[in-house]
Amino acid sequence: MNISASRGNRPTITPELVAEHGLKPDEYDRLLVIMGREPTLTELGIFSVMWSEHCSYKSSKVWLKTLPTKAPHVICGPGENAGVIDIGDGQACIFKIESHNHPSYIEPYQGAATGVGGILRDVFTMGARPIANMNALRFGSPDHPKTRHLVAGVVAGIGGYGNCIGIPTVGGECNFHPSYNGNILVNAMTVGLAPADRIFYSKAAGPGNPVVYVGAKTGRDGIHGATMASAEFSDDSEEKRPTVQVGDPFTEKLLLEACLELMATDAIVSIQDMGAAGLTSSSVEMASKGGLGIELELDRVPMRETGMTPYEIMLSESQERMLMVIKPEAEAKARAIFDKWELDFATIGRVTDSGRLVLKMNGEVYADIPVAPLVDRAPLYERPWVPTPKRAVLAPSSVPAPPSLTGALTKLMASPDLASKRWIWEQYDHMVMADTQQRPGGDAAVVRVHRTKKALAITTDCTPRYCQADPELGGAQAVAETWRNLTAVGARPLAITDNMNFGNPERPEIMGQFVGCIAGMRAACRALDYPVVSGNVSLYNETNGKAILPTPVVGGVGLLDDSTKSATLAFKKAGETIILIGAISGHLGCSLYLRECLGREEGAPPPVDLAAERRNGDFVRGLIRDGRVTVCHDVSDGGLLVAIAEMALAGRMGATLQPPKNLPAHAWAFGEDQARYIVTCADADGVLAEARQAGVPAEAIGRTGGPTLTARDGDAISVGELARAHEAWLPGYMSNP
């Protein structure tokens, strides 16, 4: 087939042009071998995005393959748009987390908004109606001049998109650290429900079947978005604004409803959303998975701008678009559905048996690429890595005690990481659809499976300071904490999705962080029977050589068979016994107390005993199921006293505690030992006896009641005063000019 020699399609391919497309010289040599000739500009652009880190996972794939991905309840693991798990009664839960880090730093509102839109499409393209959104946000130091602007834009973007499309945003997390000054993290997660026998996949089939474009028109926004997301930032990052997509949640709502209506018929052979790399990735992935070819007539693509070239059409990341292969006899029926929803519907090509991606426009051929080597022979690296040096364990006695436990507690509760995030989640509609049973602010969101007794519990978590200090322990802890969060509301943890946010993998110390976190996650997933079913990798999160903290965000999903048998963290009754489940050693290394009260970031993170996590969590879940405890909260950032303060604030009720004599009081209060929960109950003797029988460490540490939180004799603070400190920081920060 003759490739067009028209002006603009056959420019001279210089080393500078290749470098601008993010391809290294040896990668371009690989391209030449595959093509057997010099590429056209359009072909160069296609190789560029498909071989970008964002699309090919060339630095991470070798390690991702070591994660456990299978279980009896897993219907579809990694490799599709989202993971799928069986939740019984003929129903499936479909979920995934994705990053939109670089775009959100450049243009916070649209970057965050289109991150939400993209993850929604990943879920509903598989046949699910989305029921909940989550997000995990990391910003730079509050003192940095850009942080306030970025927080305002990102939160507004998430709320603007999610609220308009009518999907509740039910929870998430938000932390601050100077390492994110030049590269914030915006990770968005969506959970949906579908019939277990009506899951839609992206594998093209049936040579001759029409390839159909649906949704919004194609513009010039987002061109080279995938390439931009696969490179470090520098001082000129502001110039990359044109690579940020522009979202329209109202169009996405129409697209969602139209797709689900069409999915109720037998018209669709395969379907793929146009996310990163737009029409390029969707067409290539569909052809590759089916072992077939696709031929497209690009002048048939609906466009909102004049004079667009094949290069621009193929690389545009305009939002709210889908690509489908449909049955020929269903074309009229499908068109009628999209006409009803006032969306574009265009047959732009056909499936072929050639195994090639052929692109034509105005009768000329602009690209003719063999699909299999484009995908299968993409660069794959086992990058050099070095392990992160181990830090010394800090003895509790070596860490200075505060003058007052409640004084230190107040400082912690008003710190950026622990202060109330109400200012954020009150901008999100978390009750739309009327199935949200536990709102933001608890251990996990709980969303009812509509018209059933069941509910899904959903959470996201990660402790980057642990991952920096010891990536393997940090990776294990991130998985284990989501498992605890789900357990604390009474849910049975089923599976995770992960978002691996790291710096430049070409630096051995950064690659070592990635390898270590994967090892820890792998061990935790195996020990907890908690497989990985989907995920995303975001690398090159650094600016001018300064990397973010390693941040492997984990999103967990669990199931409550009976949503009435769930627990919350708010104290319910005065006079109940407060019981600590789990062993305590007062580990203060890497703790928030050390950082926020003493200004030190040092020491080893707390050990993670996965057998203890499993044992203690299974025991606590049984207590909740049997109605033995009225309240449950896991112990994490800030330690035991922070956990109890959060319970007191949620219930507007105080408590009286008494530290043991065998441990420094501040280590008891603020140590961040793992595998621990706080529960309250009326029958303390019975619960403690059950714990002894199960081999679970447990001890009574205080009682609920009164207007004050007493950390020990003579050291108390009113719940009202603590609440004011806890609630004031973020609104005060955001209201300052």
Side-chain angles (χ1 to χ4, degrees), residues 203-229:
K203 178 181 176 181
N209 279 340
V211 176
V212 174
Y213 171 119
V214 299
K217 288 179 167 58
T218 294
R220 290 188 170 95
D221 54 320
I223 293 174
H224 280 303
T227 307
M228 180 268 289

Side-chain angles (χ1 to χ4, degrees), residues 183-196:
N183 206 125
I184 64 173
L185 301 185
V186 176
N187 296 171
M189 177 177 173
T190 292
V191 178
L193 292 171

